[in-house]
Amino acid sequence: MAEATEALLLFKNVVLEGPPGTGKTFARDRIAEGWKGRTGRDVVTAGTISTGGASREFPYSITLHPSTTYEEFVEGLRYDDSPKVKRFVLRPGFIRLIVEEAKKDPDRDYLVLIDELNRANVPKVLGDLLLTVEASKRSHYRSGKWQGGTPVMLPYSGTSFDMPSNVYLLGTMNSSDRSIAPLDAALRRRFAFVRVNPLGGGLLQAALATEYGTDTDATEEIWGASVRALDALNEVLVACLGPDSRLGHSYLFVDPEELLDSVDTDVFGSAYWVVGTGRASTGSQFQFPGGTWNVSLLPELGFARAQDVPTRQGTAGEVASIFKGVAYRPALTRNLTMIRLSQNGPVGKSLPVKDLESGVVVFRPLASKRVVISVHPLDRAAALWDASDPAMRSAGAKDWGVIHGQEKPRDLLWRVWRYGILPQLIETAAQGYAIDLLIGDAKRSKWLADASFTADERAELEAAWGIVDAFLASDLGVRIVEDGRGLTRGVSVVESKSNTATIQPPPPPPPQPPPVPADAGFDADPPVSGTQAE
């Protein structure tokens, strides 16, 4: 945001323009955070206002829309329905209230957010303020009073109005919406326009890691596939429909605590839960229930049977695990009586097994030797019990159960793509008359050929689309299909596979294998029972 800050100091008025979802509105807070370090002055983004003898909070931000008027923004006649009035009265508008406060406080700067600037009839909303907001027409505080500037006479109150130099206007503008009229030249001359483009690749992953405090491995595990798919998508959109067609990075800013800790039967793949209290042995090993977990969870973690779990810690038993937004590599180990999840690393870099004792532990396998671990309050156990398969749960000293979920994990990122990014993509393609780009196969190839791309360019774009298609199918379990024919045709998002549960109830116990030497370490699965012997 350094570029926007420097433009504000020079022009006093800045518009952040770019595609939706690039963090334009969020930028005001970031600019305010670094303001004093750059200028040496405090900055104000909200205050209080007194109305009817009472004070209320007054944020210095407004969202413009087609119905916004000069009367709301500057001043005008507004109806007062209080019992003793019941008539129209003259009231100051949004910007005039802020200017009055700023003039009383010349030692601080006031940063005002005007969101969606181009959705209103801006010349009509600003009116005579269009002159006073210009940097060279501002008044300055000298010798104990505001001096200079170019004042105007406000038409409703008849008072003289000038814009003080300690008020900074930060507008935002969506550059991709073709239903909005362009801004006129007079307004553009008085504002600096700073382009805000979507982040991608390493920059986006670094921003996510900084925002949520995740390490490199955890950032890759949580967001890596989504970042690569969004990069590929934007690469194609820029080439085919121009820079304003890109999709913003803010969609992916999903708190990993919310992402991993949301327990709901319709957002998980298979979910295995167990009350964790008392299961951490010496604080370094977490004991698994036996029986059902051995024949269901272990295969999902890459071990066909309990005997395949190694007896000692090492790479053979490592399971890539995400816990509280951090990636760890604990190992499954076994002895004669039980299977355990072991820290498998030095303190500070290994899974904090002791933290798993604080509530209900949920294991959500993502793929072979990959799992998300989360801990939830003990009062969630009853709801998890009700959601579990009756044939795959047990009550006792340590309650546990297995929940049949969707074939593809429907976490918050799944929802972001399904209900945020993909609908925006479809709308963008429809505005650019490029629906065929989303359908794939022959229609996509024909669209690219008709757009006069060279053979090499088409090959690069088809490869990028291949990344997106593979992500939708394998990571999200959805695809984009054509609906209808002719002028009314469109596209929609459908699930590419059925929601068949991936877990099956355990089969009958196999015949007991013949005895093996004691040093083999484990000669049979632990008994299929409610809880594992401690």
Side-chain angles (χ1 to χ4, degrees):
M1 291 294 104
E3 184 181 3
T5 301
E6 296 303 320
L8 274 170
L9 293 174
L10 178 61
F11 287 86
K12 302 290 185 181
N13 316 299
V14 166
V15 172
L16 302 178
E17 60 174 346
T22 51
K24 297 183 294 295
T25 303
F26 182 69
R28 195 271 296 266
D29 294 335
R30 289 297 173 89
I31 292 171
E33 289 172 6
W35 190 264
K36 188 169 185 178
R38 172 62 182 85
T39 67
R41 291 167 57 90
D42 291 325
V43 66
V44 182
T45 59
T48 58
I49 183 174
S50 298
T51 54
S55 296
R56 59 181 175 86
E57 186 176 350
F58 179 34
Y60 298 155
S61 58
I62 187 173
T63 299
L64 302 190
H65 51 82
S67 297
T68 305
T69 64
Y70 177 90
E71 287 75 16
E72 293 173 274
F73 195 76
V74 184
E75 68 171 13
L77 295 174
R78 307 301 299 275
Y79 187 73
D80 187 337
D81 63 351
S82 56
K84 295 184 178 180
V85 182
K86 296 289 186 181
R87 59 185 174 84
F88 284 92
V89 296
L90 179 63
R91 286 183 178 171
F94 169 79
I95 197 66
R96 184 178 161 188
L97 289 171
I98 295 174
V99 167
E100 289 173 358
E101 292 298 316
K103 283 191 169 184
K104 299 175 188 175
D105 189 15
D107 294 329
R108 296 195 296 176
D109 293 328
Y110 283 65
L111 184 57
V112 183
L113 175 65
I114 306 176
D115 199 24
E116 302 289 357
L117 180 71
N118 55 334
R119 290 195 177 276
N121 185 339
V122 181
K124 183 177 180 181
V125 170
L126 294 183
D128 29 30
L129 261 65
L130 199 58
L131 172 65
T132 65
V133 298
E134 188 173 342
S136 62
K137 304 297 191 293
R138 302 287 190 103
S139 59
H140 297 268
Y141 192 75
R142 302 188 185 96
S143 303
K145 62 180 181 179
W146 291 96
Q147 302 181 44
T150 303
V152 295
M153 187 72 69
L154 297 180
Y156 282 93
S157 62
T159 59
S160 177
F161 178 89
D162 60 88
M163 183 70 69
S165 59
N166 64 337
V167 174
Y168 295 83
L169 303 182
L170 181 66
T172 69
M173 190 174 81
N174 177 1
S175 59
S176 66
D177 194 337
R178 300 186 180 186
S179 66
I180 300 174
L183 298 178
D184 65 23
L187 181 69
R188 283 190 169 273
R189 188 177 68 79
R190 290 170 169 87
F191 281 77
F193 285 76
V194 176
R195 182 77 183 180
V196 182
N197 291 319
L199 294 176
L203 289 177
L204 178 52
Q205 292 211 35
L208 289 164
T210 300
E211 180 69 19
Y212 299 114
T214 55
D215 62 21
T216 302
D217 290 340
T219 303
E220 167 62 27
E221 185 72 25
I222 297 170
W223 293 287
S226 287
V227 169
R228 286 186 288 275
L230 190 61
D231 284 348
L233 197 53
N234 281 333
E235 176 187 342
V236 175
L237 291 175
V238 168
C240 296
L241 302 178
D244 286 335
S245 66
R246 285 177 289 185
L247 304 179
H249 55 263
S250 63
Y251 286 111
L252 300 186
F253 277 74
V254 179
D255 190 335
E257 288 297 312
E258 297 179 18
L259 180 66
L260 302 179
D261 285 351
S262 56
V263 179
D264 195 338
T265 58
D266 67 347
V267 300
F268 278 102
S270 51
Y272 296 77
W273 65 272
V274 61
V275 174
T277 53
R279 285 200 167 271
S281 173
T282 70
S284 63
Q285 297 174 332
F286 186 86
Q287 301 168 2
F288 274 31
T292 297
W293 286 51
N294 289 349
V295 297
S296 295
L297 176 59
L298 290 182
E300 292 199 62
L301 294 180
F303 304 94
R305 55 179 186 163
Q307 288 93 332
D308 295 333
V309 176
T311 57
R312 296 183 179 182
Q313 295 184 29
T315 57
E318 284 185 354
V319 178
S321 307
I322 297 293
F323 178 58
K324 293 185 176 179
V326 180
Y328 301 99
R329 299 198 68 84
L332 286 181
T333 59
R334 64 179 171 87
N335 62 15
L336 290 173
T337 58
M338 67 187 66
I339 295 177
R340 301 165 297 190
L341 189 68
S342 302
Q343 284 184 327
N344 196 40
V347 176
K349 295 185 178 180
S350 58
L351 177 68
V353 173
K354 196 68 177 176
D355 292 353
L356 305 185
E357 283 197 304
S358 60
V360 181
V361 186
V362 175
F363 297 86
R364 181 165 65 91
L366 300 179
S368 178
K369 296 194 176 182
R370 291 174 57 205
V371 66
V372 171
I373 304 172
S374 54
V375 179
H376 307 270
L378 288 171
D379 58 12
R380 290 302 306 273
L384 291 169
W385 173 270
D386 292 339
S388 298
D389 185 336
M392 303 178 75
R393 65 186 183 186
S394 178
K398 303 292 185 296
D399 294 353
W400 60 265
V402 180
I403 298 173
H404 298 308
Q406 303 291 343
E407 188 168 337
K408 297 293 180 182
R410 295 188 172 193
D411 54 24
L412 292 184
L413 275 178
W414 187 95
R415 296 179 186 181
V416 163
W417 276 92
R418 176 64 180 84
Y419 304 118
I421 297 176
L422 293 180
Q424 180 66 44
L425 171 63
I426 292 172
E427 177 65 22
T428 299
Q431 287 187 2
Y433 302 99
I435 289 295
D436 286 348
L437 269 177
L438 309 183
I439 301 171
D441 300 330
K443 289 190 175 182
R444 178 182 296 161
S445 298
K446 184 178 184 303
W447 194 97
L448 294 174
D450 291 344
S452 301
F453 288 107
T454 66
D456 289 342
E457 290 171 336
R458 289 201 302 272
E460 291 181 5
L461 294 175
E462 298 240 17
W465 271 115
I467 294 173
V468 177
D469 290 339
F471 171 77
L472 296 182
S474 63
D475 287 68
L476 302 183
V478 301
R479 58 194 175 95
I480 300 176
V481 299
E482 185 176 13
D483 282 338
R485 294 291 185 271
L487 295 177
T488 61
R489 77 185 183 113
V491 294
S492 60
V493 180
V494 299
E495 294 186 30
S496 57
K497 293 185 178 180
S498 63
N499 295 329
T500 306
T502 58
I503 316 172
Q504 298 298 329
Q512 188 71 16
V516 296
D519 60 4
F522 198 107
D523 63 355
D525 287 350
V528 180
S529 59
T531 56
Q532 173 67 51
E534 300 280 319

